[in-house]
Amino acid sequence: MRLYLDLAVILNFVVDLLLILGTNRITGDEPGLCRAAAGALLGAVYAGACLLPGLRFLGNLLWKSVSLCLVCICAFGRGKQVLRRGAIFVFLSMALGGIAQIMGKGGIGALVAAAAGVLGLCILGFRENASHTTVP
């Protein structure tokens, strides 16, 4: 199987952007397209670097955690809500991963469709701002 670095980076950027926008929608925050794109770009560059032979060590848990923190700070800012929004981002990523596994080897189109589906579910499921609801 061949893996093309440019396609992997572009795909990762699109999926990360959709997940960040979905996170913003769930939390009721402003979309912040520039911040979301910057965070997605950082995540995409990290994913591309992990594919390079000399940088495969970046795929271990420590560097994944560092990358996640940097993406969240870049996309969501450094306020109190960054941990909450980061956790929602991780859960959406895990949901997308599960959907992608269920869909099988449908290729790039299936993964982008799954990411758009997660975003659509976020928009439909959270029409009102989730940040304004109270938890008992």
Tab-separated table of all heavy atoms in Angstrom, residues 21-83:
chain	number	residue	atom	x	y	z
A	21	LEU	N	-14.317	22.654	14.435
A	21	LEU	CA	-15.559	23.402	14.252
A	21	LEU	C	-16.729	22.721	14.965
A	21	LEU	O	-17.593	23.393	15.538
A	21	LEU	CB	-15.863	23.572	12.761
A	21	LEU	CG	-14.904	24.489	11.995
A	21	LEU	CD1	-15.239	24.480	10.509
A	21	LEU	CD2	-14.927	25.900	12.551
A	22	GLY	N	-16.753	21.405	14.963
A	22	GLY	CA	-17.772	20.668	15.707
A	22	GLY	C	-17.652	20.897	17.205
A	22	GLY	O	-18.652	21.061	17.909
A	23	THR	N	-16.426	20.930	17.695
A	23	THR	CA	-16.191	21.214	19.114
A	23	THR	C	-16.685	22.602	19.469
A	23	THR	O	-17.341	22.805	20.493
A	23	THR	CB	-14.692	21.080	19.440
A	23	THR	OG1	-14.273	19.749	19.161
A	23	THR	CG2	-14.418	21.392	20.895
A	24	ASN	N	-16.384	23.572	18.612
A	24	ASN	CA	-16.860	24.934	18.855
A	24	ASN	C	-18.379	24.985	18.858
A	24	ASN	O	-18.982	25.705	19.655
A	24	ASN	CB	-16.293	25.895	17.812
A	24	ASN	CG	-14.842	26.201	18.041
A	24	ASN	OD1	-14.329	26.038	19.143
A	24	ASN	ND2	-14.154	26.633	17.010
A	25	ARG	N	-18.995	24.239	17.983
A	25	ARG	CA	-20.454	24.215	17.913
A	25	ARG	C	-21.048	23.611	19.179
A	25	ARG	O	-22.024	24.117	19.721
A	25	ARG	CB	-20.880	23.435	16.673
A	25	ARG	CG	-22.351	23.284	16.519
A	25	ARG	CD	-22.983	24.600	16.205
A	25	ARG	NE	-24.421	24.385	16.033
A	25	ARG	CZ	-25.276	25.336	15.892
A	25	ARG	NH1	-24.873	26.583	15.872
A	25	ARG	NH2	-26.543	25.073	15.765
A	26	ILE	N	-20.473	22.523	19.653
A	26	ILE	CA	-20.977	21.865	20.859
A	26	ILE	C	-20.861	22.785	22.071
A	26	ILE	O	-21.782	22.875	22.883
A	26	ILE	CB	-20.223	20.543	21.114
A	26	ILE	CG1	-20.668	19.501	20.111
A	26	ILE	CG2	-20.475	20.032	22.531
A	26	ILE	CD1	-19.889	18.216	20.186
A	27	THR	N	-19.753	23.459	22.200
A	27	THR	CA	-19.539	24.309	23.368
A	27	THR	C	-20.218	25.658	23.243
A	27	THR	O	-20.243	26.424	24.193
A	27	THR	CB	-18.030	24.525	23.620
A	27	THR	OG1	-17.432	25.124	22.472
A	27	THR	CG2	-17.348	23.216	23.950
A	28	GLY	N	-20.767	25.963	22.081
A	28	GLY	CA	-21.473	27.219	21.893
A	28	GLY	C	-20.566	28.413	21.698
A	28	GLY	O	-20.999	29.556	21.848
A	29	ASP	N	-19.332	28.170	21.358
A	29	ASP	CA	-18.384	29.258	21.156
A	29	ASP	C	-18.402	29.702	19.701
A	29	ASP	O	-18.883	28.987	18.819
A	29	ASP	CB	-16.974	28.815	21.551
A	29	ASP	CG	-16.877	28.541	23.041
A	29	ASP	OD1	-17.383	29.370	23.819
A	29	ASP	OD2	-16.313	27.508	23.411
A	30	GLU	N	-17.853	30.859	19.469
A	30	GLU	CA	-17.754	31.388	18.111
A	30	GLU	C	-16.940	30.423	17.254
A	30	GLU	O	-15.979	29.828	17.737
A	30	GLU	CB	-17.080	32.755	18.114
A	30	GLU	CG	-17.912	33.828	18.756
A	30	GLU	CD	-19.166	34.126	17.957
A	30	GLU	OE1	-19.109	34.160	16.718
A	30	GLU	OE2	-20.225	34.296	18.581
A	31	PRO	N	-17.307	30.275	15.986
A	31	PRO	CA	-16.580	29.339	15.133
A	31	PRO	C	-15.079	29.626	15.032
A	31	PRO	O	-14.285	28.711	15.048
A	31	PRO	CB	-17.246	29.499	13.775
A	31	PRO	CG	-18.573	30.055	14.059
A	31	PRO	CD	-18.438	30.874	15.304
A	32	GLY	N	-14.666	30.897	14.968
A	32	GLY	CA	-13.251	31.218	14.912
A	32	GLY	C	-12.525	30.457	13.823
A	32	GLY	O	-11.635	29.664	14.116
A	33	LEU	N	-12.916	30.691	12.582
A	33	LEU	CA	-12.381	29.918	11.470
A	33	LEU	C	-10.866	30.036	11.352
A	33	LEU	O	-10.185	29.046	11.062
A	33	LEU	CB	-13.057	30.337	10.164
A	33	LEU	CG	-12.779	29.469	8.955
A	33	LEU	CD1	-13.195	28.029	9.227
A	33	LEU	CD2	-13.497	29.989	7.741
A	34	CYS	N	-10.311	31.216	11.598
A	34	CYS	CA	-8.848	31.379	11.496
A	34	CYS	C	-8.130	30.561	12.554
A	34	CYS	O	-7.145	29.875	12.257
A	34	CYS	CB	-8.477	32.854	11.625
A	34	CYS	SG	-8.961	33.834	10.203
A	35	ARG	N	-8.624	30.608	13.797
A	35	ARG	CA	-8.005	29.816	14.868
A	35	ARG	C	-8.177	28.327	14.598
A	35	ARG	O	-7.269	27.536	14.828
A	35	ARG	CB	-8.609	30.175	16.213
A	35	ARG	CG	-8.189	31.524	16.735
A	35	ARG	CD	-8.592	31.644	18.185
A	35	ARG	NE	-7.674	30.879	19.000
A	35	ARG	CZ	-6.738	31.417	19.755
A	35	ARG	NH1	-6.617	32.720	19.820
A	35	ARG	NH2	-5.937	30.664	20.465
A	36	ALA	N	-9.368	27.955	14.128
A	36	ALA	CA	-9.626	26.545	13.828
A	36	ALA	C	-8.700	26.055	12.716
A	36	ALA	O	-8.140	24.963	12.802
A	36	ALA	CB	-11.090	26.350	13.434
A	37	ALA	N	-8.522	26.864	11.690
A	37	ALA	CA	-7.636	26.488	10.580
A	37	ALA	C	-6.192	26.396	11.054
A	37	ALA	O	-5.453	25.499	10.624
A	37	ALA	CB	-7.765	27.485	9.435
A	38	ALA	N	-5.779	27.300	11.939
A	38	ALA	CA	-4.405	27.252	12.456
A	38	ALA	C	-4.181	25.989	13.275
A	38	ALA	O	-3.155	25.312	13.139
A	38	ALA	CB	-4.114	28.492	13.284
A	39	GLY	N	-5.143	25.633	14.122
A	39	GLY	CA	-5.028	24.400	14.901
A	39	GLY	C	-5.021	23.170	14.019
A	39	GLY	O	-4.249	22.232	14.231
A	40	ALA	N	-5.895	23.163	13.007
A	40	ALA	CA	-5.954	22.032	12.076
A	40	ALA	C	-4.653	21.911	11.285
A	40	ALA	O	-4.163	20.804	11.040
A	40	ALA	CB	-7.143	22.182	11.139
A	41	LEU	N	-4.086	23.042	10.900
A	41	LEU	CA	-2.815	23.015	10.163
A	41	LEU	C	-1.694	22.458	11.029
A	41	LEU	O	-0.892	21.638	10.565
A	41	LEU	CB	-2.460	24.415	9.671
A	41	LEU	CG	-1.178	24.527	8.853
A	41	LEU	CD1	-1.288	23.716	7.568
A	41	LEU	CD2	-0.884	25.986	8.540
A	42	LEU	N	-1.664	22.861	12.287
A	42	LEU	CA	-0.649	22.334	13.197
A	42	LEU	C	-0.799	20.824	13.360
A	42	LEU	O	0.187	20.079	13.307
A	42	LEU	CB	-0.745	23.039	14.556
A	42	LEU	CG	0.274	22.632	15.605
A	42	LEU	CD1	1.683	22.973	15.147
A	42	LEU	CD2	-0.032	23.320	16.916
A	43	GLY	N	-2.039	20.360	13.518
A	43	GLY	CA	-2.282	18.919	13.629
A	43	GLY	C	-1.915	18.173	12.367
A	43	GLY	O	-1.373	17.067	12.415
A	44	ALA	N	-2.187	18.782	11.218
A	44	ALA	CA	-1.868	18.138	9.942
A	44	ALA	C	-0.359	18.035	9.728
A	44	ALA	O	0.144	17.012	9.263
A	44	ALA	CB	-2.512	18.904	8.798
A	45	VAL	N	0.366	19.083	10.087
A	45	VAL	CA	1.827	19.055	9.957
A	45	VAL	C	2.417	17.995	10.884
A	45	VAL	O	3.328	17.249	10.511
A	45	VAL	CB	2.426	20.453	10.221
A	45	VAL	CG1	3.936	20.396	10.358
A	45	VAL	CG2	2.022	21.411	9.108
A	46	TYR	N	1.885	17.918	12.110
A	46	TYR	CA	2.347	16.889	13.046
A	46	TYR	C	2.095	15.493	12.484
A	46	TYR	O	2.962	14.622	12.529
A	46	TYR	CB	1.664	17.050	14.403
A	46	TYR	CG	1.834	15.850	15.292
A	46	TYR	CD1	3.051	15.603	15.927
A	46	TYR	CD2	0.809	14.938	15.477
A	46	TYR	CE1	3.229	14.482	16.722
A	46	TYR	CE2	0.971	13.825	16.270
A	46	TYR	CZ	2.183	13.601	16.899
A	46	TYR	OH	2.356	12.493	17.673
A	47	ALA	N	0.884	15.265	11.948
A	47	ALA	CA	0.559	13.952	11.381
A	47	ALA	C	1.486	13.612	10.218
A	47	ALA	O	1.937	12.475	10.079
A	47	ALA	CB	-0.896	13.925	10.938
A	48	GLY	N	1.770	14.605	9.385
A	48	GLY	CA	2.690	14.372	8.269
A	48	GLY	C	4.097	14.062	8.747
A	48	GLY	O	4.772	13.195	8.192
A	49	ALA	N	4.531	14.766	9.800
A	49	ALA	CA	5.877	14.521	10.338
A	49	ALA	C	5.986	13.112	10.912
A	49	ALA	O	7.039	12.477	10.799
A	49	ALA	CB	6.206	15.550	11.411
A	50	CYS	N	4.910	12.605	11.496
A	50	CYS	CA	4.931	11.243	12.062
A	50	CYS	C	5.126	10.177	10.989
A	50	CYS	O	5.568	9.067	11.298
A	50	CYS	CB	3.631	10.967	12.815
A	50	CYS	SG	3.493	11.833	14.370
A	51	LEU	N	4.811	10.503	9.754
A	51	LEU	CA	4.943	9.536	8.662
A	51	LEU	C	6.350	9.479	8.074
A	51	LEU	O	6.677	8.534	7.360
A	51	LEU	CB	3.947	9.872	7.554
A	51	LEU	CG	2.472	9.779	7.936
A	51	LEU	CD1	1.601	10.251	6.776
A	51	LEU	CD2	2.104	8.370	8.346
A	52	LEU	N	7.154	10.477	8.366
A	52	LEU	CA	8.515	10.513	7.828
A	52	LEU	C	9.400	9.517	8.577
A	52	LEU	O	9.312	9.393	9.801
A	52	LEU	CB	9.083	11.923	7.934
A	52	LEU	CG	8.334	12.981	7.114
A	52	LEU	CD1	8.894	14.366	7.404
A	52	LEU	CD2	8.411	12.663	5.640
A	53	PRO	N	10.264	8.797	7.853
A	53	PRO	CA	11.058	7.735	8.478
A	53	PRO	C	11.907	8.194	9.674
A	53	PRO	O	11.966	7.509	10.681
A	53	PRO	CB	11.952	7.240	7.335
A	53	PRO	CG	11.240	7.623	6.096
A	53	PRO	CD	10.489	8.871	6.409
A	54	GLY	N	12.514	9.340	9.601
A	54	GLY	CA	13.375	9.788	10.689
A	54	GLY	C	12.630	10.378	11.867
A	54	GLY	O	13.213	10.626	12.925
A	55	LEU	N	11.323	10.599	11.721
A	55	LEU	CA	10.547	11.243	12.776
A	55	LEU	C	9.432	10.349	13.325
A	55	LEU	O	8.512	10.832	13.971
A	55	LEU	CB	9.941	12.550	12.252
A	55	LEU	CG	10.930	13.611	11.792
A	55	LEU	CD1	10.208	14.806	11.203
A	55	LEU	CD2	11.816	14.056	12.952
A	56	ARG	N	9.534	9.076	13.111
A	56	ARG	CA	8.475	8.161	13.576
A	56	ARG	C	8.351	8.128	15.090
A	56	ARG	O	7.307	7.752	15.608
A	56	ARG	CB	8.705	6.770	13.031
A	56	ARG	CG	8.560	6.772	11.531
A	56	ARG	CD	8.289	5.430	10.989
A	56	ARG	NE	8.375	5.541	9.537
A	56	ARG	CZ	7.474	5.087	8.737
A	56	ARG	NH1	6.429	4.501	9.203
A	56	ARG	NH2	7.617	5.223	7.442
A	57	PHE	N	9.374	8.553	15.814
A	57	PHE	CA	9.308	8.594	17.272
A	57	PHE	C	8.238	9.580	17.745
A	57	PHE	O	7.756	9.498	18.876
A	57	PHE	CB	10.662	8.970	17.882
A	57	PHE	CG	11.070	10.392	17.627
A	57	PHE	CD1	10.744	11.382	18.538
A	57	PHE	CD2	11.769	10.738	16.484
A	57	PHE	CE1	11.115	12.704	18.308
A	57	PHE	CE2	12.142	12.048	16.249
A	57	PHE	CZ	11.810	13.036	17.157
A	58	LEU	N	7.838	10.517	16.878
A	58	LEU	CA	6.806	11.484	17.244
A	58	LEU	C	5.441	10.824	17.435
A	58	LEU	O	4.526	11.453	17.964
A	58	LEU	CB	6.691	12.570	16.166
A	58	LEU	CG	7.874	13.519	16.039
A	58	LEU	CD1	7.683	14.448	14.855
A	58	LEU	CD2	8.071	14.310	17.316
A	59	GLY	N	5.296	9.579	17.034
A	59	GLY	CA	4.031	8.873	17.161
A	59	GLY	C	3.803	8.258	18.526
A	59	GLY	O	2.743	7.684	18.767
A	60	ASN	N	4.760	8.402	19.459
A	60	ASN	CA	4.535	7.817	20.781
A	60	ASN	C	3.611	8.706	21.613
A	60	ASN	O	3.290	9.833	21.246
A	60	ASN	CB	5.857	7.507	21.498
A	60	ASN	CG	6.619	8.744	21.926
A	60	ASN	OD1	6.050	9.788	22.196
A	60	ASN	ND2	7.933	8.612	21.995
A	61	LEU	N	3.161	8.187	22.747
A	61	LEU	CA	2.136	8.845	23.548
A	61	LEU	C	2.551	10.227	24.030
A	61	LEU	O	1.732	11.157	24.043
A	61	LEU	CB	1.767	7.957	24.745
A	61	LEU	CG	0.641	8.466	25.632
A	61	LEU	CD1	-0.647	8.623	24.822
A	61	LEU	CD2	0.432	7.540	26.802
A	62	LEU	N	3.811	10.404	24.404
A	62	LEU	CA	4.272	11.706	24.884
A	62	LEU	C	4.092	12.777	23.817
A	62	LEU	O	3.516	13.840	24.071
A	62	LEU	CB	5.746	11.623	25.308
A	62	LEU	CG	6.401	12.971	25.619
A	62	LEU	CD1	5.813	13.566	26.885
A	62	LEU	CD2	7.897	12.833	25.713
A	63	TRP	N	4.564	12.501	22.605
A	63	TRP	CA	4.493	13.498	21.544
A	63	TRP	C	3.066	13.690	21.039
A	63	TRP	O	2.690	14.787	20.623
A	63	TRP	CB	5.451	13.143	20.413
A	63	TRP	CG	6.873	13.331	20.852
A	63	TRP	CD1	7.772	12.351	21.140
A	63	TRP	CD2	7.523	14.569	21.126
A	63	TRP	NE1	8.946	12.906	21.555
A	63	TRP	CE2	8.826	14.271	21.552
A	63	TRP	CE3	7.141	15.899	21.045
A	63	TRP	CZ2	9.745	15.243	21.900
A	63	TRP	CZ3	8.055	16.880	21.395
A	63	TRP	CH2	9.336	16.550	21.807
A	64	LYS	N	2.257	12.640	21.089
A	64	LYS	CA	0.842	12.803	20.746
A	64	LYS	C	0.164	13.752	21.727
A	64	LYS	O	-0.635	14.599	21.340
A	64	LYS	CB	0.124	11.451	20.757
A	64	LYS	CG	0.430	10.580	19.579
A	64	LYS	CD	-0.336	9.271	19.682
A	64	LYS	CE	0.040	8.347	18.545
A	64	LYS	NZ	-0.668	7.060	18.621
A	65	SER	N	0.491	13.599	23.008
A	65	SER	CA	-0.088	14.474	24.039
A	65	SER	C	0.376	15.914	23.875
A	65	SER	O	-0.425	16.849	23.993
A	65	SER	CB	0.291	13.969	25.441
A	65	SER	OG	-0.178	12.670	25.632
A	66	VAL	N	1.657	16.095	23.592
A	66	VAL	CA	2.184	17.444	23.370
A	66	VAL	C	1.508	18.079	22.157
A	66	VAL	O	1.092	19.241	22.194
A	66	VAL	CB	3.727	17.407	23.203
A	66	VAL	CG1	4.259	18.736	22.695
A	66	VAL	CG2	4.387	17.025	24.516
A	67	SER	N	1.373	17.310	21.084
A	67	SER	CA	0.723	17.813	19.879
A	67	SER	C	-0.733	18.182	20.156
A	67	SER	O	-1.210	19.238	19.722
A	67	SER	CB	0.799	16.768	18.771
A	67	SER	OG	-0.001	17.148	17.686
A	68	LEU	N	-1.441	17.330	20.881
A	68	LEU	CA	-2.833	17.614	21.217
A	68	LEU	C	-2.946	18.910	22.014
A	68	LEU	O	-3.812	19.741	21.737
A	68	LEU	CB	-3.441	16.454	22.000
A	68	LEU	CG	-4.851	16.671	22.532
A	68	LEU	CD1	-5.833	16.838	21.386
A	68	LEU	CD2	-5.258	15.540	23.444
A	69	CYS	N	-2.075	19.102	22.993
A	69	CYS	CA	-2.099	20.333	23.793
A	69	CYS	C	-1.841	21.561	22.918
A	69	CYS	O	-2.533	22.578	23.050
A	69	CYS	CB	-1.074	20.263	24.917
A	69	CYS	SG	-1.507	19.093	26.214
A	70	LEU	N	-0.875	21.475	22.028
A	70	LEU	CA	-0.567	22.608	21.155
A	70	LEU	C	-1.704	22.911	20.192
A	70	LEU	O	-2.033	24.082	19.952
A	70	LEU	CB	0.733	22.351	20.399
A	70	LEU	CG	2.007	22.345	21.245
A	70	LEU	CD1	3.208	21.939	20.398
A	70	LEU	CD2	2.224	23.687	21.906
A	71	VAL	N	-2.315	21.864	19.633
A	71	VAL	CA	-3.452	22.064	18.729
A	71	VAL	C	-4.606	22.720	19.484
A	71	VAL	O	-5.222	23.661	18.982
A	71	VAL	CB	-3.893	20.733	18.083
A	71	VAL	CG1	-5.247	20.857	17.412
A	71	VAL	CG2	-2.855	20.260	17.086
A	72	CYS	N	-4.884	22.255	20.694
A	72	CYS	CA	-5.990	22.824	21.482
A	72	CYS	C	-5.720	24.274	21.847
A	72	CYS	O	-6.622	25.110	21.760
A	72	CYS	CB	-6.224	21.992	22.737
A	72	CYS	SG	-6.999	20.401	22.391
A	73	ILE	N	-4.503	24.589	22.249
A	73	ILE	CA	-4.172	25.978	22.587
A	73	ILE	C	-4.278	26.858	21.354
A	73	ILE	O	-4.805	27.965	21.401
A	73	ILE	CB	-2.777	26.059	23.230
A	73	ILE	CG1	-2.821	25.452	24.629
A	73	ILE	CG2	-2.278	27.496	23.283
A	73	ILE	CD1	-1.462	25.275	25.277
A	74	CYS	N	-3.798	26.353	20.235
A	74	CYS	CA	-3.858	27.123	18.986
A	74	CYS	C	-5.307	27.323	18.533
A	74	CYS	O	-5.688	28.411	18.113
A	74	CYS	CB	-3.048	26.408	17.916
A	74	CYS	SG	-2.822	27.343	16.420
A	75	ALA	N	-6.126	26.294	18.635
A	75	ALA	CA	-7.496	26.363	18.133
A	75	ALA	C	-8.466	27.014	19.111
A	75	ALA	O	-9.391	27.700	18.690
A	75	ALA	CB	-7.995	24.961	17.789
A	76	PHE	N	-8.250	26.814	20.417
A	76	PHE	CA	-9.240	27.239	21.406
A	76	PHE	C	-8.766	28.351	22.331
A	76	PHE	O	-9.532	28.851	23.130
A	76	PHE	CB	-9.684	26.050	22.254
A	76	PHE	CG	-10.173	24.880	21.456
A	76	PHE	CD1	-9.672	23.613	21.672
A	76	PHE	CD2	-11.141	25.037	20.475
A	76	PHE	CE1	-10.121	22.528	20.944
A	76	PHE	CE2	-11.592	23.961	19.729
A	76	PHE	CZ	-11.085	22.708	19.972
A	77	GLY	N	-7.515	28.717	22.261
A	77	GLY	CA	-7.002	29.761	23.145
A	77	GLY	C	-6.446	29.177	24.433
A	77	GLY	O	-6.298	27.970	24.570
A	78	ARG	N	-6.143	30.066	25.389
A	78	ARG	CA	-5.526	29.601	26.633
A	78	ARG	C	-6.402	29.861	27.853
A	78	ARG	O	-5.927	29.896	28.955
A	78	ARG	CB	-4.178	30.282	26.842
A	78	ARG	CG	-3.143	29.873	25.832
A	78	ARG	CD	-1.825	30.482	26.141
A	78	ARG	NE	-1.934	31.940	26.024
A	78	ARG	CZ	-1.012	32.783	26.407
A	78	ARG	NH1	0.092	32.347	26.935
A	78	ARG	NH2	-1.190	34.077	26.263
A	79	GLY	N	-7.697	30.031	27.661
A	79	GLY	CA	-8.596	30.301	28.772
A	79	GLY	C	-8.902	29.070	29.595
A	79	GLY	O	-8.341	27.992	29.404
A	80	LYS	N	-9.841	29.242	30.523
A	80	LYS	CA	-10.256	28.139	31.392
A	80	LYS	C	-10.900	27.004	30.608
A	80	LYS	O	-10.829	25.853	30.997
A	80	LYS	CB	-11.278	28.638	32.405
A	80	LYS	CG	-10.758	29.539	33.451
A	80	LYS	CD	-11.904	29.853	34.400
A	80	LYS	CE	-11.574	30.991	35.306
A	80	LYS	NZ	-12.695	31.301	36.202
A	81	GLN	N	-11.531	27.342	29.512
A	81	GLN	CA	-12.313	26.367	28.765
A	81	GLN	C	-11.481	25.459	27.865
A	81	GLN	O	-12.025	24.556	27.249
A	81	GLN	CB	-13.353	27.103	27.908
A	81	GLN	CG	-14.362	27.872	28.724
A	81	GLN	CD	-15.242	26.947	29.551
A	81	GLN	OE1	-15.620	25.879	29.089
A	81	GLN	NE2	-15.550	27.345	30.764
A	82	VAL	N	-10.180	25.684	27.795
A	82	VAL	CA	-9.377	24.898	26.848
A	82	VAL	C	-9.370	23.414	27.222
A	82	VAL	O	-9.393	22.555	26.336
A	82	VAL	CB	-7.943	25.465	26.711
A	82	VAL	CG1	-7.118	25.219	27.944
A	82	VAL	CG2	-7.258	24.893	25.487
A	83	LEU	N	-9.378	23.080	28.503
A	83	LEU	CA	-9.403	21.667	28.896
A	83	LEU	C	-10.733	21.021	28.527
A	83	LEU	O	-10.762	19.903	28.011
A	83	LEU	CB	-9.146	21.525	30.394
A	83	LEU	CG	-7.730	21.807	30.853
A	83	LEU	CD1	-7.633	21.713	32.369
A	83	LEU	CD2	-6.762	20.839	30.211
